[in-house]
């Protein structure tokens, strides 16, 4: 394999030169202002080396990428009882779809579609106030990234809360089926702030290392989660991480990945690398157009795949 640093640099140069950059999410007003010209990539390998290029140090709104960390923390808090409230199946539908909730009696298909993530946010509350649960998650992600510079952009959170009618509808519908333990407003407040986690590609790749390392935090050498749970979260990222684009991502990239409408993608090569890419322009399924392409090229150039 060519030198990984050279590969990362050449991919960043290629992506920065791409003309068709996709469309920036505009349904969350605060995100609509972000330029589609940005591209960043960061790769942390198992030996701890960090390769970064482009806008890899620029912070961005991770949005649904945060669902990986929220799920990890919620499983640590409530254990496998969580799976009584949310499934593990790909939805095959858009990230904010409500359609399946009716036929499936308020149980979301998986923890990465919005409905599933709201149930996870509800589980994080566990009798606390939203502010406490949000603080717990922020401290957890800072711990995973080894970086107290990770923040939550409250302007983004409030911007989404002001226009998050579909998420409130999802939460109310699940509440009606008894699948929300807390007030709709509290669960959604945790969810909006979780999605407003603001990280650079370097910070995000560092935060994903435990999923590369069988659940162990490379900085401490101690387990964050069990190897089995790490494998299962990677499995969910592969099968559900890109919603109705998950099949295409698995076909073209072949490693677990979780996207966000801020244009970020966290991808994991178990045992080898934790990768973060960022390009704000999205494809028709709400996943980063050039982030997906960059990961496809990285997989081609390195031969990384779970298959
Ligand atoms: O709930 C929403 O619509 C956003 N806060 C997150 C959606 C998202 O990132 C979907 N991923 N591509």
């Amino acid at each position: 394999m060519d030198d990984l640093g050279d590969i990362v640099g050449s991919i960043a140069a290629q992506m920065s030169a791409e003309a068709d950059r996709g469309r920036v999410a505009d349904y969350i007003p605060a995100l609509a202002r972000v330029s589609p010209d940005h591209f960043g990539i960061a790769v942390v390998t198992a030996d701890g080396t960090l390769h970064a290029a482009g806008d890899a140090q620029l912070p961005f709104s991770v949005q649904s990428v945060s669902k990986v960390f929220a799920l990890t923390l919620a499983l640590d808090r409530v254990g496998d009882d969580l799976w009584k409230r949310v499934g593990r199946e790909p939805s095959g539908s858009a990230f904010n779809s409500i359609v399946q909730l009716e036929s499936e009696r308020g149980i979301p298909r998986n923890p990465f579609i919005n409905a599933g993530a709201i149930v996870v946010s509800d589980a994080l509350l566990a009798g606390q106030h939203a502010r406490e649960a949000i603080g717990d998650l922020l401290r957890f992600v800072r711990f995973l990234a080894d970086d107290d510079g990770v923040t939550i952009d409250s302007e983004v959170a409030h911007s989404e809360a002001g226009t998050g009618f579909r998420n409130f509808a999802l939460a109310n519908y699940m509440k009606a089926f008894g699948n929300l333990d807390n007030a709709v407003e509290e669960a959604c407040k945790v969810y909006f702030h979780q999605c407003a986690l603001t990280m650079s590609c370097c910070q995000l790749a560092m935060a994903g290392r435990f999923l590369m390392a069988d659940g162990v935090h490379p900085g401490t050498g101690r387990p964050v989660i069990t190897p089995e749970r790490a494998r299962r979260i990677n499995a969910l990222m592969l099968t559900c991480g890109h919603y109705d684009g998950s099949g295409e991502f698995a076909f073209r990239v072949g490693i677990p990945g979780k996207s966000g409408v801020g244009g970020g993608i966290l991808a994991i090569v178990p045992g080898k690398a934790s990768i973060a890419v960022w390009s704000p322009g999205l494809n028709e399924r709400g996943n980063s157009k050039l982030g997906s392409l960059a990961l496809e090229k990285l997989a081609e150039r390195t031969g990384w795949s779970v298959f």
Side-chain angles (χ1 to χ4, degrees):
M1 180 172 86
D2 294 342
D3 175 74
L4 184 56
D6 292 343
I7 293 172
V8 167
S10 68
I11 289 171
Q14 281 180 275
M15 294 304 108
S16 298
E18 283 284 337
D20 181 1
R21 307 188 72 80
R23 283 186 70 250
V24 172
D26 56 11
Y27 72 98
I28 301 175
L31 296 185
R33 299 192 286 270
V34 179
S35 166
D37 295 338
H38 291 300
F39 178 83
I41 180 170
V43 180
V44 183
T45 50
D47 65 2
T49 307
L50 171 65
H51 302 277
D55 296 320
Q57 301 282 3
L58 271 185
F60 62 90
S61 190
V62 303
Q63 293 296 316
S64 284
V65 182
S66 67
K67 296 169 177 176
V68 172
F69 307 121
L71 174 63
T72 303
L73 188 57
L75 285 169
D76 187 57
R77 284 277 167 80
V78 303
D80 288 340
D81 280 352
L82 183 67
W83 302 121
K84 296 173 184 170
R85 302 177 58 190
V86 57
R88 285 94 61 131
E89 287 296 329
S91 68
S93 56
F95 60 83
N96 52 10
S97 173
I98 198 170
V99 172
Q100 293 162 336
L101 278 186
E102 181 171 18
S103 58
E104 296 176 12
R105 304 195 57 72
I107 307 287
R109 271 288 176 91
N110 67 69
F112 293 149
I113 55 177
N114 286 10
I118 290 168
V119 167
V120 171
S121 297
D122 183 63
L124 285 178
L125 273 164
Q128 300 181 100
H129 290 293
R131 180 179 299 275
E132 294 168 287
I134 293 162
D136 287 349
L137 183 63
L138 178 57
R139 281 186 292 276
F140 181 57
V141 177
R142 285 176 171 173
F143 163 68
L144 293 175
D146 275 339
D147 191 330
D148 286 347
V150 174
T151 61
I152 288 177
D153 186 332
S154 54
E155 182 197 349
V156 171
H158 294 142
S159 171
E160 181 164 20
T163 59
F165 309 112
R166 290 185 75 152
N167 286 322
F168 283 118
L170 292 169
N172 276 287
Y173 206 76
M174 293 186 291
K175 185 76 174 175
F177 279 101
N179 196 19
L180 224 54
D181 296 334
N182 299 278
V184 163
E185 295 71 20
E186 286 291 283
C188 287
K189 184 175 182 180
V190 174
Y191 174 72
F192 293 140
H193 280 80
Q194 156 198 323
C195 287
L197 271 164
T198 303
M199 305 171 76
S200 68
C201 289
C202 292
Q203 290 170 326
L204 185 54
M206 290 289 281
R209 291 172 299 166
F210 75 105
L211 291 171
M212 158 189 73
D214 259 349
V216 170
H217 187 307
T220 65
R222 296 171 55 79
V224 175
I225 49 175
T226 63
E228 180 189 65
R229 194 162 274 175
R231 285 195 294 273
R232 287 176 167 182
I233 290 170
N234 281 331
L236 286 166
M237 288 170 72
L238 183 69
T239 57
C240 308
H242 284 68
Y243 315 105
D244 49 346
S246 296
E248 186 72 5
F249 187 83
F251 181 82
R252 288 180 176 274
V253 182
I255 57 177
K258 180 71 204 82
S259 63
V261 288
I265 301 175
L266 173 65
I268 302 295
V269 188
K272 291 183 178 172
S274 173
I275 307 155
V277 292
W278 171 52
S279 183
L282 307 178
N283 61 25
E284 63 286 352
R285 294 203 164 102
N287 303 313
S288 176
K289 184 178 186 71
L290 295 182
S292 305
L293 180 59
L295 288 168
E296 182 178 353
K297 291 185 177 299
L298 183 63
E300 278 168 16
R301 299 278 302 271
T302 58
W304 289 340
S305 172
V306 294
F307 300 109

